[in-house]
Amino acid sequence: KNQVEQSPQSLIILEGKNCTLQCNYTVSPFSNLRWYKQDTGRGPVSLTIMTFSENTKSNGRYTATLDADTKQSSLHITASQLSDSASYICVVTPAYGNNRLAFGKGNQVVVIP
Amino acid sequence: EPEVTQTPSHQVTQMGQEVILRCVPISNHLYFYWYRQILGQKVEFLVSFYNNEISEKSEIFDDQFSVERPDGSNFTLKIRSTKLEDSAMYFCASSVGQGGYEQYFGPGTRLTVT
């Protein structure tokens, strides 16, 4: 079964600080790995996408890394802002079969002033 | 920028009633999806739809559920006889293609079954 596990489940950080979110997956082989940001009561919005051959991808203050050997990905948020308060979801697309997206449960980030 | 829209934003219904959740996917997209997210849990796949038929459905998508694209723009999810455990956020998504193509999510409909 394709699994995506994220840690920590939740964290609180001070505005301006950095944080790193972790994603471990068992999906193999996979087509791509995305990090989504989901604001409370809203739909997920894609932040980054990486294929198996990519190691890092940035989108402004968000930087995602991927280690396909250890099946781990991380999302680093630099100089956090209050608007970064959200759930960050790791989503893996299998390369074969039904291509059904495998979702993690999300990392709940709260940025406080 | 084009976006997926969903109506209503919040639907309250009594157990046993039928509900229809509506979605307008992005106009040039060909693949459509419904997902649900029970409070505090991960997003779960329900169904995918292409070329006017279901291409895949999950174990959750039982006979109580149906989808339809009644015209060229709307994509609907019908729950025939709602149960308390159907209470969740329901997200519609659409994409140009399958596999590596990004799925764009709508804002969701919060369904509350009392």
Side-chain angles (χ1 to χ4, degrees):
Chain A
K1 188 176 179 181
N2 291 328
Q3 299 273 19
V4 179
E5 300 294 334
Q6 295 185 239
S7 63
Q9 183 176 343
S10 62
L11 75 161
I12 300 173
I13 57 173
L14 287 174
E15 186 179 10
K17 298 297 186 182
N18 305 334
C19 70
T20 300
L21 314 175
Q22 300 290 344
C23 171
N24 296 321
Y25 59 92
T26 61
V27 182
S28 184
F30 69 98
S31 174
N32 59 66
L33 184 150
R34 293 181 188 272
W35 281 92
Y36 281 85
K37 180 185 179 189
Q38 185 180 20
D39 292 312
T40 301
R42 306 292 296 176
V45 175
S46 181
L47 290 176
T48 63
I49 175 174
M50 290 179 290
T51 64
F52 65 89
S53 61
E54 295 178 290
N55 299 119
T56 186
K57 186 68 70 77
S58 290
N59 178 2
R61 295 179 296 102
Y62 301 103
T63 299
T65 65
L66 174 65
D67 186 333
D69 292 330
T70 61
K71 296 186 173 57
Q72 294 180 324
S73 177
S74 66
L75 180 70
H76 186 76
I77 305 175
T78 304
S80 60
Q81 299 177 358
L82 297 178
S83 59
D84 292 331
S85 295
S87 179
Y88 292 85
I89 307 174
C90 178
V91 183
V92 184
T93 305
Y96 301 114
N98 52 34
N99 290 321
R100 189 187 298 188
L101 302 183
F103 286 81
K105 199 171 177 180
N107 304 102
Q108 187 66 44
V109 174
V110 176
V111 182
I112 58 175
Chain B
E1 185 174 334
E3 58 183 15
V4 176
T5 59
Q6 290 184 242
T7 55
S9 58
H10 192 187
Q11 174 87 47
V12 181
T13 188
Q14 288 189 326
M15 197 167 51
Q17 295 297 305
E18 174 184 286
V19 293
I20 297 176
L21 310 183
R22 301 180 193 281
C23 166
V24 179
I26 294 174
S27 61
N28 64 331
H29 286 187
L30 301 176
Y31 293 82
F32 314 113
Y33 313 85
W34 282 101
Y35 295 87
R36 80 172 186 190
Q37 185 177 31
I38 295 171
L39 187 64
Q41 298 188 24
K42 64 176 65 177
V43 176
E44 301 172 289
F45 169 80
L46 292 178
V47 65
S48 60
F49 192 87
Y50 170 71
N51 199 26
N52 272 324
E53 60 182 26
I54 291 174
S55 50
E56 192 193 350
K57 59 184 181 180
S58 73
E59 310 72 33
I60 303 167
F61 195 89
D62 60 22
D63 292 342
Q64 294 296 317
F65 292 89
S66 63
V67 289
E68 195 177 32
R69 190 158 161 82
D71 52 44
S73 59
N74 289 284
F75 179 51
T76 62
L77 174 69
K78 181 192 289 186
I79 309 175
R80 287 191 184 82
S81 178
T82 51
K83 309 183 189 73
L84 294 176
E85 53 265 37
D86 293 329
S87 295
M89 279 289 280
Y90 287 81
F91 294 107
C92 172
S94 69
S95 63
V96 172
Q98 269 193 312
Y101 291 90
E102 180 175 351
Q103 294 183 24
Y104 292 81
F105 286 80
T109 292
R110 178 167 296 285
L111 177 64
T112 303
V113 183
T114 62

